[in-house]
Amino acid sequence: MNSHHPYVSESHEGKPWFEWSIAGCVVVSTVLAAFGYTMAATAILAAAAIVSGAIRLILRDRSPWKVRSVAFDAICGIGLGISLLGLFLSVLFLNH
């Protein structure tokens, strides 16, 4: 049995200022979407996801954003951003 226990405290997982900045992006995106600016809202969410994934990939263990492993965090962040943009563009092209 593995005796290594994962850390669960804020000091080892991430930095609150970075998490609050991502939360701020989500709030701004929600407000923009509520007012009908879906393209801007999607772009903000996608950019926040791609930037957080890239930061995790570049800074590795010094990153202010940590959820799981570096690979998991980077793939989820960058993949979410690209998927959001692709989904938005596909719906946009279907409507035209």
Side-chain angles (χ1 to χ4, degrees), residues 37-85:
Y37 299 105
T38 55
M39 186 173 196
T42 304
I44 288 173
L45 278 182
I50 291 171
V51 167
S52 67
I55 285 173
R56 180 69 166 125
L57 186 61
I58 294 167
L59 295 179
R60 309 200 63 80
D61 288 332
R62 297 175 316 185
S63 172
W65 181 260
K66 297 177 186 175
V67 178
R68 297 280 180 205
S69 68
V70 173
F72 179 84
D73 293 347
I75 289 170
C76 285
I78 295 169
L80 174 66
I82 292 170
S83 298
L84 280 174
L85 289 176

Side-chain angles (χ1 to χ4, degrees), residues 21-47:
S21 66
I22 296 294
C25 289
V26 171
V27 168
V28 168
S29 179
T30 303
V31 170
L32 286 171
F35 284 110
Y37 299 105
T38 55
M39 186 173 196
T42 304
I44 288 173
L45 278 182

Side-chain angles (χ1 to χ4, degrees), residues 38-39 42 46 79-95:
T38 55
M39 186 173 196
T42 304
L80 174 66
I82 292 170
S83 298
L84 280 174
L85 289 176
L87 183 62
F88 181 80
L89 291 175
S90 67
V91 169
L92 185 68
F93 291 141
L94 283 174
N95 288 332

